[in-house]
Amino acid sequence: GESVGLHLPTLSVQEGDNSIINCAYSNSASDYFIWYKQESGKGPQFIIDIRSNMDKRQGQRVTVLLNKTVKHLSLQIAATQPGDSAVYFCAESQNTPLVFGKGTRLSVIA
Amino acid sequence: EAGVAQSPRYKIIEKRQSVAFWCNPISGHATLYWYQQILGQGPKLLIQFQNNGVVDDSQLPKDRFSAERLKGVDSTLKIQPAKLEDSAVYLCASSLDFGWQETQYFGPGTRLLVL
């Protein structure tokens, strides 16, 4: 079946720098995308979502970009902080259960 | 607002034994989900309830897994008998209403180790 994947399993970023986490999806019919953050020992926490009729959405310190042409999703975190260290999952849906990618581990270097 | 509660947080059992997990969703949330998260992977949906009815259980291994939400609030997920490959974190989530674009709020999960 179609699935969502991530380009890099780990990402290390200096504190204060911007982070970019990428995600590739294969189902061109997906119309809803979401990013979750999962800290060690905790459940996933909603960060931001975007629908297919948009190509950019901003939240507090986070921006999600959607490129439907190449089926690519990215999460940008501005001024990365130690508290941003976690595994980040993208997920997609086509009016179906969310399909999660494998995740990218973000490590923030102080 | 209290979040999704799950218990136990950890469980170690031997293969072929039975185990049950409990979930209490956020008050007022009609939809409840159980996910399985194997180490190093993203969560995978096992079953979804809308109030006390099953909406989707297509990925639930029904020969050994069962779940119920009798009064439309708390839910239990049971594995009988457990296999080694069932070792995972079992996450419960809830959302205010039905719809795949409803924000899901996750509990801390139950970490199961089958020996």
Side-chain angles (χ1 to χ4, degrees):
Chain A
E2 311 232 44
S3 63
V4 179
L6 290 165
H7 292 306
L8 293 173
T10 61
L11 177 66
S12 295
V13 176
Q14 202 74 32
E15 181 179 357
D17 286 352
N18 297 335
S19 302
I20 299 176
I21 301 172
N22 296 305
C23 177
Y25 65 95
S26 56
N27 185 357
S28 56
S30 292
D31 56 5
Y32 178 68
F33 305 87
I34 187 168
W35 282 99
Y36 277 94
K37 172 187 179 182
Q38 187 172 25
E39 296 176 88
S40 181
K42 297 183 179 180
Q45 177 187 6
F46 171 88
I47 301 173
I48 192 167
D49 60 2
I50 189 168
R51 289 169 174 75
S52 59
N53 61 350
M54 304 171 68
D55 53 20
K56 180 180 180 179
R57 192 168 186 216
Q58 287 184 292
Q60 186 177 12
R61 281 202 309 119
V62 295
T63 301
V64 56
L65 298 177
L66 175 63
N67 185 331
K68 295 181 286 293
T69 301
V70 295
K71 292 184 285 188
H72 183 268
L73 189 71
S74 68
L75 176 70
Q76 300 178 2
I77 305 173
T80 310
Q81 303 169 0
D84 295 327
S85 294
V87 177
Y88 289 80
F89 293 98
C90 64
E92 53 110 8
S93 172
Q94 181 203 347
N95 199 29
T96 55
L98 292 176
V99 175
F100 285 80
K102 291 187 177 180
T104 292
R105 180 174 297 280
L106 176 65
S107 297
V108 181
I109 304 166
Chain B
E1 178 182 80
V4 176
Q6 291 188 247
S7 68
R9 292 297 312 276
Y10 305 93
K11 190 74 177 178
I12 301 174
I13 61 172
E14 295 186 349
K15 60 183 179 182
R16 292 188 289 274
Q17 286 187 323
S18 302
V19 65
F21 313 126
W22 174 82
C23 172
N24 180 237
I26 293 173
S27 178
H29 279 197
T31 307
L32 184 146
Y33 315 78
W34 282 103
Y35 287 86
Q36 180 192 60
Q37 185 176 24
I38 293 173
L39 185 65
Q41 298 183 16
K44 183 186 81 171
L45 180 71
L46 293 175
I47 189 168
Q48 178 194 1
F49 292 93
Q50 175 76 0
N51 296 312
N52 62 350
V54 175
V55 174
D56 188 321
D57 64 356
S58 58
Q59 299 191 83
L60 186 74
K62 299 180 187 63
D63 59 332
R64 299 184 300 106
F65 286 65
S66 64
E68 60 183 14
R69 193 186 185 199
L70 293 177
K71 297 183 179 179
V73 180
D74 293 2
S75 177
T76 56
L77 175 70
K78 297 179 181 178
I79 307 175
Q80 180 180 11
K83 292 185 176 181
L84 297 178
E85 59 261 36
D86 297 333
S87 294
V89 176
Y90 291 85
L91 295 162
C92 179
S94 70
S95 62
L96 187 60
D97 206 342
F98 174 73
W100 297 114
Q101 299 186 11
E102 286 283 327
T103 300
Q104 297 181 28
Y105 298 88
F106 285 81
T110 296
R111 187 176 300 274
L112 173 68
L113 179 60
V114 182
L115 301 176

PDB file of all heavy atoms in Angstrom, chain A residues 46-83:
ATOM      1  N   PHE A  46       0.290  16.879  18.759  1.00  0.00           N
ATOM      2  CA  PHE A  46      -0.007  17.641  17.542  1.00  0.00           C
ATOM      3  C   PHE A  46       0.832  18.911  17.475  1.00  0.00           C
ATOM      4  O   PHE A  46       0.973  19.632  18.457  1.00  0.00           O
ATOM      5  CB  PHE A  46      -1.491  17.996  17.530  1.00  0.00           C
ATOM      6  CG  PHE A  46      -1.891  18.971  16.446  1.00  0.00           C
ATOM      7  CD1 PHE A  46      -2.253  18.497  15.193  1.00  0.00           C
ATOM      8  CD2 PHE A  46      -1.912  20.329  16.665  1.00  0.00           C
ATOM      9  CE1 PHE A  46      -2.633  19.383  14.191  1.00  0.00           C
ATOM     10  CE2 PHE A  46      -2.284  21.225  15.677  1.00  0.00           C
ATOM     11  CZ  PHE A  46      -2.644  20.743  14.432  1.00  0.00           C
ATOM     12  N   ILE A  47       1.425  19.161  16.293  1.00  0.00           N
ATOM     13  CA  ILE A  47       2.175  20.403  16.096  1.00  0.00           C
ATOM     14  C   ILE A  47       1.416  21.323  15.152  1.00  0.00           C
ATOM     15  O   ILE A  47       1.071  22.451  15.502  1.00  0.00           O
ATOM     16  CB  ILE A  47       3.572  20.128  15.500  1.00  0.00           C
ATOM     17  CG1 ILE A  47       4.391  19.217  16.400  1.00  0.00           C
ATOM     18  CG2 ILE A  47       4.316  21.449  15.283  1.00  0.00           C
ATOM     19  CD1 ILE A  47       5.704  18.799  15.768  1.00  0.00           C
ATOM     20  N   ILE A  48       1.178  20.837  13.930  1.00  0.00           N
ATOM     21  CA  ILE A  48       0.566  21.670  12.917  1.00  0.00           C
ATOM     22  C   ILE A  48       0.041  20.763  11.811  1.00  0.00           C
ATOM     23  O   ILE A  48       0.548  19.662  11.608  1.00  0.00           O
ATOM     24  CB  ILE A  48       1.586  22.694  12.350  1.00  0.00           C
ATOM     25  CG1 ILE A  48       0.893  23.761  11.505  1.00  0.00           C
ATOM     26  CG2 ILE A  48       2.699  22.000  11.576  1.00  0.00           C
ATOM     27  CD1 ILE A  48       1.789  24.954  11.176  1.00  0.00           C
ATOM     28  N   ASP A  49      -0.991  21.235  11.126  1.00  0.00           N
ATOM     29  CA  ASP A  49      -1.520  20.472  10.003  1.00  0.00           C
ATOM     30  C   ASP A  49      -1.692  21.381   8.793  1.00  0.00           C
ATOM     31  O   ASP A  49      -1.601  22.608   8.892  1.00  0.00           O
ATOM     32  CB  ASP A  49      -2.841  19.789  10.374  1.00  0.00           C
ATOM     33  CG  ASP A  49      -3.942  20.765  10.793  1.00  0.00           C
ATOM     34  OD1 ASP A  49      -3.707  21.992  10.770  1.00  0.00           O
ATOM     35  OD2 ASP A  49      -5.035  20.296  11.159  1.00  0.00           O
ATOM     36  N   ILE A  50      -1.930  20.745   7.653  1.00  0.00           N
ATOM     37  CA  ILE A  50      -2.133  21.499   6.424  1.00  0.00           C
ATOM     38  C   ILE A  50      -2.999  20.686   5.481  1.00  0.00           C
ATOM     39  O   ILE A  50      -2.880  19.454   5.415  1.00  0.00           O
ATOM     40  CB  ILE A  50      -0.772  21.867   5.758  1.00  0.00           C
ATOM     41  CG1 ILE A  50      -0.991  22.845   4.590  1.00  0.00           C
ATOM     42  CG2 ILE A  50      -0.031  20.616   5.301  1.00  0.00           C
ATOM     43  CD1 ILE A  50       0.309  23.466   4.098  1.00  0.00           C
ATOM     44  N   ARG A  51      -3.883  21.371   4.787  1.00  0.00           N
ATOM     45  CA  ARG A  51      -4.728  20.703   3.805  1.00  0.00           C
ATOM     46  C   ARG A  51      -4.156  20.904   2.415  1.00  0.00           C
ATOM     47  O   ARG A  51      -3.381  21.822   2.174  1.00  0.00           O
ATOM     48  CB  ARG A  51      -6.161  21.227   3.924  1.00  0.00           C
ATOM     49  CG  ARG A  51      -6.834  20.728   5.197  1.00  0.00           C
ATOM     50  CD  ARG A  51      -8.136  21.403   5.513  1.00  0.00           C
ATOM     51  NE  ARG A  51      -8.785  20.784   6.656  1.00  0.00           N
ATOM     52  CZ  ARG A  51      -8.420  20.939   7.932  1.00  0.00           C
ATOM     53  NH1 ARG A  51      -7.399  21.692   8.228  1.00  0.00           N
ATOM     54  NH2 ARG A  51      -9.070  20.318   8.892  1.00  0.00           N
ATOM     55  N   SER A  52      -4.570  20.074   1.488  1.00  0.00           N
ATOM     56  CA  SER A  52      -3.943  20.049   0.170  1.00  0.00           C
ATOM     57  C   SER A  52      -4.231  21.298  -0.664  1.00  0.00           C
ATOM     58  O   SER A  52      -3.590  21.514  -1.690  1.00  0.00           O
ATOM     59  CB  SER A  52      -4.358  18.801  -0.595  1.00  0.00           C
ATOM     60  OG  SER A  52      -5.755  18.760  -0.746  1.00  0.00           O
ATOM     61  N   ASN A  53      -5.185  22.105  -0.228  1.00  0.00           N
ATOM     62  CA  ASN A  53      -5.476  23.335  -0.970  1.00  0.00           C
ATOM     63  C   ASN A  53      -4.563  24.496  -0.542  1.00  0.00           C
ATOM     64  O   ASN A  53      -4.731  25.624  -0.984  1.00  0.00           O
ATOM     65  CB  ASN A  53      -6.938  23.738  -0.814  1.00  0.00           C
ATOM     66  CG  ASN A  53      -7.318  24.006   0.622  1.00  0.00           C
ATOM     67  OD1 ASN A  53      -6.567  23.719   1.544  1.00  0.00           O
ATOM     68  ND2 ASN A  53      -8.511  24.559   0.820  1.00  0.00           N
ATOM     69  N   MET A  54      -3.605  24.181   0.330  1.00  0.00           N
ATOM     70  CA  MET A  54      -2.650  25.175   0.786  1.00  0.00           C
ATOM     71  C   MET A  54      -1.246  24.675   0.485  1.00  0.00           C
ATOM     72  O   MET A  54      -1.016  23.476   0.342  1.00  0.00           O
ATOM     73  CB  MET A  54      -2.783  25.409   2.288  1.00  0.00           C
ATOM     74  CG  MET A  54      -4.176  25.818   2.727  1.00  0.00           C
ATOM     75  SD  MET A  54      -4.339  25.824   4.524  1.00  0.00           S
ATOM     76  CE  MET A  54      -3.270  27.190   4.954  1.00  0.00           C
ATOM     77  N   ASP A  55      -0.271  25.591   0.396  1.00  0.00           N
ATOM     78  CA  ASP A  55       1.106  25.152   0.239  1.00  0.00           C
ATOM     79  C   ASP A  55       1.989  25.600   1.396  1.00  0.00           C
ATOM     80  O   ASP A  55       3.153  25.202   1.491  1.00  0.00           O
ATOM     81  CB  ASP A  55       1.702  25.624  -1.088  1.00  0.00           C
ATOM     82  CG  ASP A  55       1.552  27.114  -1.297  1.00  0.00           C
ATOM     83  OD1 ASP A  55       1.350  27.838  -0.299  1.00  0.00           O
ATOM     84  OD2 ASP A  55       1.634  27.567  -2.447  1.00  0.00           O
ATOM     85  N   LYS A  56       1.422  26.390   2.298  1.00  0.00           N
ATOM     86  CA  LYS A  56       2.202  26.857   3.430  1.00  0.00           C
ATOM     87  C   LYS A  56       1.254  27.204   4.575  1.00  0.00           C
ATOM     88  O   LYS A  56       0.169  27.758   4.359  1.00  0.00           O
ATOM     89  CB  LYS A  56       3.015  28.095   3.047  1.00  0.00           C
ATOM     90  CG  LYS A  56       3.877  28.667   4.157  1.00  0.00           C
ATOM     91  CD  LYS A  56       4.644  29.882   3.661  1.00  0.00           C
ATOM     92  CE  LYS A  56       5.520  30.486   4.741  1.00  0.00           C
ATOM     93  NZ  LYS A  56       6.289  31.659   4.241  1.00  0.00           N
ATOM     94  N   ARG A  57       1.711  26.872   5.771  1.00  0.00           N
ATOM     95  CA  ARG A  57       0.943  27.249   6.953  1.00  0.00           C
ATOM     96  C   ARG A  57       1.912  27.506   8.084  1.00  0.00           C
ATOM     97  O   ARG A  57       2.864  26.739   8.268  1.00  0.00           O
ATOM     98  CB  ARG A  57      -0.048  26.147   7.329  1.00  0.00           C
ATOM     99  CG  ARG A  57      -1.058  26.601   8.363  1.00  0.00           C
ATOM    100  CD  ARG A  57      -2.188  25.626   8.526  1.00  0.00           C
ATOM    101  NE  ARG A  57      -3.191  26.188   9.429  1.00  0.00           N
ATOM    102  CZ  ARG A  57      -3.904  25.485  10.296  1.00  0.00           C
ATOM    103  NH1 ARG A  57      -3.740  24.176  10.368  1.00  0.00           N
ATOM    104  NH2 ARG A  57      -4.785  26.081  11.061  1.00  0.00           N
ATOM    105  N   GLN A  58       1.647  28.558   8.831  1.00  0.00           N
ATOM    106  CA  GLN A  58       2.573  28.930   9.909  1.00  0.00           C
ATOM    107  C   GLN A  58       1.901  28.835  11.253  1.00  0.00           C
ATOM    108  O   GLN A  58       0.719  29.125  11.420  1.00  0.00           O
ATOM    109  CB  GLN A  58       3.081  30.361   9.687  1.00  0.00           C
ATOM    110  CG  GLN A  58       4.072  30.469   8.537  1.00  0.00           C
ATOM    111  CD  GLN A  58       4.646  31.863   8.395  1.00  0.00           C
ATOM    112  OE1 GLN A  58       3.931  32.783   8.049  1.00  0.00           O
ATOM    113  NE2 GLN A  58       5.926  32.008   8.649  1.00  0.00           N
ATOM    114  N   GLY A  59       2.704  28.397  12.245  1.00  0.00           N
ATOM    115  CA  GLY A  59       2.264  28.398  13.627  1.00  0.00           C
ATOM    116  C   GLY A  59       3.288  29.154  14.452  1.00  0.00           C
ATOM    117  O   GLY A  59       4.075  29.934  13.912  1.00  0.00           O
ATOM    118  N   GLN A  60       3.280  28.884  15.727  1.00  0.00           N
ATOM    119  CA  GLN A  60       4.256  29.547  16.586  1.00  0.00           C
ATOM    120  C   GLN A  60       5.607  28.854  16.419  1.00  0.00           C
ATOM    121  O   GLN A  60       5.779  27.723  16.820  1.00  0.00           O
ATOM    122  CB  GLN A  60       3.814  29.467  18.040  1.00  0.00           C
ATOM    123  CG  GLN A  60       4.687  30.250  18.979  1.00  0.00           C
ATOM    124  CD  GLN A  60       4.169  30.209  20.413  1.00  0.00           C
ATOM    125  OE1 GLN A  60       3.287  29.421  20.738  1.00  0.00           O
ATOM    126  NE2 GLN A  60       4.709  31.041  21.265  1.00  0.00           N
ATOM    127  N   ARG A  61       6.556  29.515  15.815  1.00  0.00           N
ATOM    128  CA  ARG A  61       7.918  29.016  15.535  1.00  0.00           C
ATOM    129  C   ARG A  61       7.959  27.866  14.535  1.00  0.00           C
ATOM    130  O   ARG A  61       9.032  27.336  14.247  1.00  0.00           O
ATOM    131  CB  ARG A  61       8.652  28.563  16.819  1.00  0.00           C
ATOM    132  CG  ARG A  61       9.226  29.663  17.639  1.00  0.00           C
ATOM    133  CD  ARG A  61      10.354  29.176  18.563  1.00  0.00           C
ATOM    134  NE  ARG A  61       9.978  28.028  19.366  1.00  0.00           N
ATOM    135  CZ  ARG A  61      10.600  26.840  19.299  1.00  0.00           C
ATOM    136  NH1 ARG A  61      11.592  26.646  18.453  1.00  0.00           N
ATOM    137  NH2 ARG A  61      10.208  25.847  20.071  1.00  0.00           N
ATOM    138  N   VAL A  62       6.847  27.404  14.053  1.00  0.00           N
ATOM    139  CA  VAL A  62       6.839  26.315  13.082  1.00  0.00           C
ATOM    140  C   VAL A  62       6.126  26.721  11.802  1.00  0.00           C
ATOM    141  O   VAL A  62       5.181  27.501  11.828  1.00  0.00           O
ATOM    142  CB  VAL A  62       6.183  25.033  13.654  1.00  0.00           C
ATOM    143  CG1 VAL A  62       7.000  24.476  14.810  1.00  0.00           C
ATOM    144  CG2 VAL A  62       4.754  25.288  14.079  1.00  0.00           C
ATOM    145  N   THR A  63       6.621  26.153  10.702  1.00  0.00           N
ATOM    146  CA  THR A  63       6.017  26.367   9.384  1.00  0.00           C
ATOM    147  C   THR A  63       5.988  25.030   8.675  1.00  0.00           C
ATOM    148  O   THR A  63       6.980  24.289   8.693  1.00  0.00           O
ATOM    149  CB  THR A  63       6.844  27.367   8.550  1.00  0.00           C
ATOM    150  OG1 THR A  63       6.918  28.612   9.246  1.00  0.00           O
ATOM    151  CG2 THR A  63       6.202  27.582   7.184  1.00  0.00           C
ATOM    152  N   VAL A  64       4.860  24.712   8.072  1.00  0.00           N
ATOM    153  CA  VAL A  64       4.773  23.504   7.268  1.00  0.00           C
ATOM    154  C   VAL A  64       4.628  23.933   5.808  1.00  0.00           C
ATOM    155  O   VAL A  64       3.869  24.828   5.483  1.00  0.00           O
ATOM    156  CB  VAL A  64       3.612  22.592   7.716  1.00  0.00           C
ATOM    157  CG1 VAL A  64       2.278  23.320   7.695  1.00  0.00           C
ATOM    158  CG2 VAL A  64       3.539  21.353   6.845  1.00  0.00           C
ATOM    159  N   LEU A  65       5.406  23.287   4.950  1.00  0.00           N
ATOM    160  CA  LEU A  65       5.356  23.544   3.524  1.00  0.00           C
ATOM    161  C   LEU A  65       4.930  22.276   2.804  1.00  0.00           C
ATOM    162  O   LEU A  65       5.409  21.185   3.127  1.00  0.00           O
ATOM    163  CB  LEU A  65       6.741  23.983   3.013  1.00  0.00           C
ATOM    164  CG  LEU A  65       7.313  25.270   3.604  1.00  0.00           C
ATOM    165  CD1 LEU A  65       8.720  25.515   3.054  1.00  0.00           C
ATOM    166  CD2 LEU A  65       6.416  26.458   3.301  1.00  0.00           C
ATOM    167  N   LEU A  66       4.052  22.425   1.861  1.00  0.00           N
ATOM    168  CA  LEU A  66       3.545  21.298   1.090  1.00  0.00           C
ATOM    169  C   LEU A  66       3.806  21.541  -0.384  1.00  0.00           C
ATOM    170  O   LEU A  66       3.380  22.548  -0.929  1.00  0.00           O
ATOM    171  CB  LEU A  66       2.044  21.109   1.341  1.00  0.00           C
ATOM    172  CG  LEU A  66       1.335  20.038   0.518  1.00  0.00           C
ATOM    173  CD1 LEU A  66       1.903  18.661   0.831  1.00  0.00           C
ATOM    174  CD2 LEU A  66      -0.175  20.072   0.774  1.00  0.00           C
ATOM    175  N   ASN A  67       4.517  20.619  -1.003  1.00  0.00           N
ATOM    176  CA  ASN A  67       4.766  20.687  -2.440  1.00  0.00           C
ATOM    177  C   ASN A  67       4.118  19.478  -3.081  1.00  0.00           C
ATOM    178  O   ASN A  67       4.671  18.368  -3.065  1.00  0.00           O
ATOM    179  CB  ASN A  67       6.278  20.705  -2.715  1.00  0.00           C
ATOM    180  CG  ASN A  67       6.591  20.906  -4.193  1.00  0.00           C
ATOM    181  OD1 ASN A  67       5.823  20.520  -5.067  1.00  0.00           O
ATOM    182  ND2 ASN A  67       7.721  21.517  -4.476  1.00  0.00           N
ATOM    183  N   LYS A  68       2.941  19.684  -3.638  1.00  0.00           N
ATOM    184  CA  LYS A  68       2.181  18.567  -4.187  1.00  0.00           C
ATOM    185  C   LYS A  68       2.781  18.050  -5.476  1.00  0.00           C
ATOM    186  O   LYS A  68       2.577  16.902  -5.846  1.00  0.00           O
ATOM    187  CB  LYS A  68       0.719  18.985  -4.399  1.00  0.00           C
ATOM    188  CG  LYS A  68       0.002  19.296  -3.083  1.00  0.00           C
ATOM    189  CD  LYS A  68      -1.444  19.679  -3.319  1.00  0.00           C
ATOM    190  CE  LYS A  68      -1.574  21.061  -3.903  1.00  0.00           C
ATOM    191  NZ  LYS A  68      -1.141  22.122  -2.959  1.00  0.00           N
ATOM    192  N   THR A  69       3.525  18.895  -6.163  1.00  0.00           N
ATOM    193  CA  THR A  69       4.113  18.482  -7.433  1.00  0.00           C
ATOM    194  C   THR A  69       5.105  17.335  -7.227  1.00  0.00           C
ATOM    195  O   THR A  69       5.121  16.381  -8.016  1.00  0.00           O
ATOM    196  CB  THR A  69       4.842  19.667  -8.100  1.00  0.00           C
ATOM    197  OG1 THR A  69       3.907  20.723  -8.301  1.00  0.00           O
ATOM    198  CG2 THR A  69       5.445  19.255  -9.425  1.00  0.00           C
ATOM    199  N   VAL A  70       5.910  17.445  -6.180  1.00  0.00           N
ATOM    200  CA  VAL A  70       6.899  16.404  -5.903  1.00  0.00           C
ATOM    201  C   VAL A  70       6.513  15.578  -4.684  1.00  0.00           C
ATOM    202  O   VAL A  70       7.321  14.776  -4.200  1.00  0.00           O
ATOM    203  CB  VAL A  70       8.307  17.012  -5.722  1.00  0.00           C
ATOM    204  CG1 VAL A  70       8.773  17.640  -7.031  1.00  0.00           C
ATOM    205  CG2 VAL A  70       8.334  18.033  -4.604  1.00  0.00           C
ATOM    206  N   LYS A  71       5.308  15.775  -4.194  1.00  0.00           N
ATOM    207  CA  LYS A  71       4.806  15.020  -3.045  1.00  0.00           C
ATOM    208  C   LYS A  71       5.764  15.088  -1.865  1.00  0.00           C
ATOM    209  O   LYS A  71       6.257  14.071  -1.352  1.00  0.00           O
ATOM    210  CB  LYS A  71       4.506  13.581  -3.461  1.00  0.00           C
ATOM    211  CG  LYS A  71       3.318  13.483  -4.412  1.00  0.00           C
ATOM    212  CD  LYS A  71       2.956  12.059  -4.763  1.00  0.00           C
ATOM    213  CE  LYS A  71       3.938  11.478  -5.743  1.00  0.00           C
ATOM    214  NZ  LYS A  71       3.527  10.154  -6.250  1.00  0.00           N
ATOM    215  N   HIS A  72       6.002  16.308  -1.442  1.00  0.00           N
ATOM    216  CA  HIS A  72       6.968  16.549  -0.379  1.00  0.00           C
ATOM    217  C   HIS A  72       6.377  17.486   0.671  1.00  0.00           C
ATOM    218  O   HIS A  72       5.703  18.463   0.347  1.00  0.00           O
ATOM    219  CB  HIS A  72       8.241  17.157  -0.978  1.00  0.00           C
ATOM    220  CG  HIS A  72       9.334  17.371   0.004  1.00  0.00           C
ATOM    221  ND1 HIS A  72       9.495  18.551   0.686  1.00  0.00           N
ATOM    222  CD2 HIS A  72      10.327  16.547   0.424  1.00  0.00           C
ATOM    223  CE1 HIS A  72      10.548  18.447   1.493  1.00  0.00           C
ATOM    224  NE2 HIS A  72      11.067  17.257   1.339  1.00  0.00           N
ATOM    225  N   LEU A  73       6.658  17.163   1.907  1.00  0.00           N
ATOM    226  CA  LEU A  73       6.167  17.932   3.052  1.00  0.00           C
ATOM    227  C   LEU A  73       7.375  18.257   3.931  1.00  0.00           C
ATOM    228  O   LEU A  73       8.247  17.407   4.105  1.00  0.00           O
ATOM    229  CB  LEU A  73       5.182  17.071   3.816  1.00  0.00           C
ATOM    230  CG  LEU A  73       4.353  17.640   4.942  1.00  0.00           C
ATOM    231  CD1 LEU A  73       3.298  18.588   4.403  1.00  0.00           C
ATOM    232  CD2 LEU A  73       3.676  16.506   5.705  1.00  0.00           C
ATOM    233  N   SER A  74       7.426  19.455   4.454  1.00  0.00           N
ATOM    234  CA  SER A  74       8.522  19.776   5.367  1.00  0.00           C
ATOM    235  C   SER A  74       8.010  20.553   6.573  1.00  0.00           C
ATOM    236  O   SER A  74       6.986  21.239   6.503  1.00  0.00           O
ATOM    237  CB  SER A  74       9.611  20.581   4.660  1.00  0.00           C
ATOM    238  OG  SER A  74       9.151  21.867   4.330  1.00  0.00           O
ATOM    239  N   LEU A  75       8.737  20.391   7.655  1.00  0.00           N
ATOM    240  CA  LEU A  75       8.450  21.122   8.892  1.00  0.00           C
ATOM    241  C   LEU A  75       9.669  21.963   9.218  1.00  0.00           C
ATOM    242  O   LEU A  75      10.779  21.437   9.328  1.00  0.00           O
ATOM    243  CB  LEU A  75       8.166  20.158  10.035  1.00  0.00           C
ATOM    244  CG  LEU A  75       7.939  20.793  11.399  1.00  0.00           C
ATOM    245  CD1 LEU A  75       6.612  21.548  11.427  1.00  0.00           C
ATOM    246  CD2 LEU A  75       7.979  19.745  12.514  1.00  0.00           C
ATOM    247  N   GLN A  76       9.465  23.246   9.332  1.00  0.00           N
ATOM    248  CA  GLN A  76      10.546  24.148   9.684  1.00  0.00           C
ATOM    249  C   GLN A  76      10.324  24.653  11.103  1.00  0.00           C
ATOM    250  O   GLN A  76       9.235  25.119  11.426  1.00  0.00           O
ATOM    251  CB  GLN A  76      10.621  25.314   8.701  1.00  0.00           C
ATOM    252  CG  GLN A  76      10.868  24.868   7.270  1.00  0.00           C
ATOM    253  CD  GLN A  76      10.895  26.026   6.291  1.00  0.00           C
ATOM    254  OE1 GLN A  76      10.765  27.188   6.663  1.00  0.00           O
ATOM    255  NE2 GLN A  76      11.085  25.709   5.020  1.00  0.00           N
ATOM    256  N   ILE A  77      11.351  24.546  11.919  1.00  0.00           N
ATOM    257  CA  ILE A  77      11.302  25.042  13.291  1.00  0.00           C
ATOM    258  C   ILE A  77      12.308  26.178  13.403  1.00  0.00           C
ATOM    259  O   ILE A  77      13.501  25.996  13.155  1.00  0.00           O
ATOM    260  CB  ILE A  77      11.640  23.933  14.310  1.00  0.00           C
ATOM    261  CG1 ILE A  77      10.722  22.724  14.120  1.00  0.00           C
ATOM    262  CG2 ILE A  77      11.527  24.475  15.735  1.00  0.00           C
ATOM    263  CD1 ILE A  77      11.103  21.522  14.976  1.00  0.00           C
ATOM    264  N   ALA A  78      11.829  27.329  13.762  1.00  0.00           N
ATOM    265  CA  ALA A  78      12.705  28.502  13.893  1.00  0.00           C
ATOM    266  C   ALA A  78      13.336  28.547  15.281  1.00  0.00           C
ATOM    267  O   ALA A  78      12.716  28.159  16.277  1.00  0.00           O
ATOM    268  CB  ALA A  78      11.895  29.764  13.650  1.00  0.00           C
ATOM    269  N   ALA A  79      14.581  28.998  15.314  1.00  0.00           N
ATOM    270  CA  ALA A  79      15.287  29.178  16.587  1.00  0.00           C
ATOM    271  C   ALA A  79      15.138  27.950  17.478  1.00  0.00           C
ATOM    272  O   ALA A  79      14.574  28.011  18.567  1.00  0.00           O
ATOM    273  CB  ALA A  79      14.780  30.427  17.296  1.00  0.00           C
ATOM    274  N   THR A  80      15.648  26.838  17.003  1.00  0.00           N
ATOM    275  CA  THR A  80      15.471  25.553  17.684  1.00  0.00           C
ATOM    276  C   THR A  80      15.987  25.609  19.120  1.00  0.00           C
ATOM    277  O   THR A  80      17.077  26.133  19.388  1.00  0.00           O
ATOM    278  CB  THR A  80      16.197  24.444  16.906  1.00  0.00           C
ATOM    279  OG1 THR A  80      15.815  24.521  15.529  1.00  0.00           O
ATOM    280  CG2 THR A  80      15.803  23.079  17.439  1.00  0.00           C
ATOM    281  N   GLN A  81      15.193  25.044  20.012  1.00  0.00           N
ATOM    282  CA  GLN A  81      15.507  25.039  21.431  1.00  0.00           C
ATOM    283  C   GLN A  81      15.719  23.616  21.934  1.00  0.00           C
ATOM    284  O   GLN A  81      15.255  22.657  21.309  1.00  0.00           O
ATOM    285  CB  GLN A  81      14.353  25.686  22.200  1.00  0.00           C
ATOM    286  CG  GLN A  81      14.025  27.091  21.763  1.00  0.00           C
ATOM    287  CD  GLN A  81      12.712  27.602  22.349  1.00  0.00           C
ATOM    288  OE1 GLN A  81      12.030  26.909  23.093  1.00  0.00           O
ATOM    289  NE2 GLN A  81      12.360  28.837  22.016  1.00  0.00           N
ATOM    290  N   PRO A  82      16.410  23.448  23.059  1.00  0.00           N
ATOM    291  CA  PRO A  82      16.599  22.096  23.598  1.00  0.00           C
ATOM    292  C   PRO A  82      15.288  21.335  23.774  1.00  0.00           C
ATOM    293  O   PRO A  82      15.242  20.119  23.594  1.00  0.00           O
ATOM    294  CB  PRO A  82      17.287  22.357  24.944  1.00  0.00           C
ATOM    295  CG  PRO A  82      18.035  23.625  24.732  1.00  0.00           C
ATOM    296  CD  PRO A  82      17.143  24.461  23.837  1.00  0.00           C
ATOM    297  N   GLY A  83      14.228  22.035  24.104  1.00  0.00           N
ATOM    298  CA  GLY A  83      12.926  21.390  24.280  1.00  0.00           C
ATOM    299  C   GLY A  83      12.327  20.866  22.994  1.00  0.00           C
ATOM    300  O   GLY A  83      11.323  20.142  23.026  1.00  0.00           O
TER     301      GLY A  83
END
